[in-house]
Amino acid sequence: MGRHRDHLVEGIDPHLFVEEHSPAQESDTRPVLLLHGFASSTKLNWQDTGWIRALTDAGRRVITVDLPGHGNSASPEERDAYAPSRIRADLLQLLQDSHVIPLDDATPGSGVDIIGYSLGSRLAWEFGATQPELVHRMVLGGPGSADPLADFDLTAAQQHLTDGTPVEDALTADLLRMARMVPSHDVFALLTMVEAIKGEPFTAAEAVPRMPLLLVAGENDDRAATMPDLAALSNQAETVWLPGRTHTNAITSRAFKKAAIDFLNA
């Protein structure tokens, strides 16, 4: 059942909407945390695409969270609520609330596996690097070595929302279109997230997760063109390219789901 978390890490009150999904039969395997992409949500990224069902059918307990300003989570006014460092602290809190304990070889269900997509992969990369005692394995979908929102033209997007001025940058126009496709999205909150993320640029080499990684992207995903560079930073990374898939539709791939589940269960 979904709920907003009210416990605090370092005074944080994120009001994130979190759900836990249990397999049909009780299992002692570690849970899987799912992190969706920008302008998406648990429903769009993981539920409607069949990921939650596939994971629970495989016997995994699943923890989902809507990022700030997305889905059923709150849309705080302060920019810091959307900063990657703040979100990582929020993720640590929700895992503690979900009774995730540090990895222990004697306890099969200890720790957590993470599956992220797009922005969720960037957040997972940094979380895994900073919380190695908790994270067992990670699957990163549509990832790249560059910040996925670094080139977003925030000024042009704001101007477009104000008076309809066309957005010339194709990436910005596409992300803004995605943000406005879902009526429940708070577009201004999403722009606040872009601003906050620009304030904490992603430099993958600064902190590299050392647990096993599976990097997956569509072969036609321009945003993941630098995925090999990301893999090269790790000595435990495998890569999978999905034939004919793009950044938009890779998430629906059955081959992606199978590769992810096989990898996490290895």
Side-chain angles (χ1 to χ4, degrees), residues 4-236:
H4 293 288
R5 298 299 194 178
D6 294 321
H7 301 136
L8 307 181
V9 167
E10 297 181 354
I12 293 170
D13 187 5
H15 292 297
L16 295 179
F17 187 77
V18 181
E19 291 184 306
E20 295 182 18
H21 311 262
S22 300
Q25 296 186 344
E26 203 169 316
S27 171
D28 62 355
T29 57
R30 65 181 49 85
V32 181
L33 173 65
L34 302 182
L35 300 176
H36 65 74
F38 178 76
S40 188
S41 65
T42 292
K43 183 179 186 303
L44 293 173
N45 219 149
W46 307 118
Q47 183 175 332
D48 292 352
T49 56
W51 276 89
I52 295 174
R53 174 175 290 183
L55 287 163
T56 54
D57 284 351
R60 303 301 294 264
R61 177 165 68 99
V62 176
I63 304 170
T64 59
V65 56
D66 286 336
L67 297 175
H70 293 72
N72 291 313
S73 284
S75 299
E77 293 184 3
E78 66 273 17
R79 192 185 79 170
D80 287 350
Y82 302 88
S85 57
R86 170 74 173 263
I87 293 173
R88 291 197 301 273
D90 294 344
L91 295 178
L92 178 59
Q93 178 65 72
L94 75 86
L95 291 178
Q96 291 177 355
D97 288 345
S98 295
H99 308 293
V100 173
I101 63 174
L103 291 165
D104 180 355
D105 290 341
T107 308
S110 63
V112 66
D113 289 327
I114 299 178
I115 303 177
Y117 196 76
S118 195
L119 174 60
S121 289
R122 176 244 165 103
L123 296 171
W125 178 276
E126 294 174 319
F127 188 83
T130 56
Q131 303 295 332
E133 74 285 354
L134 280 179
V135 183
H136 175 250
R137 287 184 168 225
M138 296 199 298
V139 177
L140 309 182
S145 61
D147 191 326
L149 293 175
D151 295 329
F152 188 94
D153 190 337
L154 187 61
T155 300
Q158 292 170 331
Q159 190 65 40
H160 176 76
L161 293 176
T162 300
D163 59 16
T165 300
V167 177
E168 295 183 2
D169 177 68
L171 172 64
T172 303
D174 186 50
L175 288 173
L176 188 59
R177 177 189 58 78
M178 289 170 53
R180 302 183 76 182
M181 279 179 61
V182 182
S184 60
H185 279 162
D186 184 333
V187 177
F188 291 99
L190 298 186
L191 294 185
T192 302
M193 171 173 272
V194 173
E195 185 179 8
I197 288 174
K198 282 176 172 288
E200 294 185 5
F202 178 54
T203 306
E206 286 188 354
V208 180
R210 294 305 176 188
M211 66 285 302
L213 306 174
L214 178 66
L215 311 183
V216 184
E219 65 176 3
N220 297 325
D221 182 354
D222 292 338
R223 298 185 204 174
T226 58
M227 186 170 79
D229 299 334
L230 201 63
L233 294 173
S234 168
N235 61 359
Q236 296 196 75

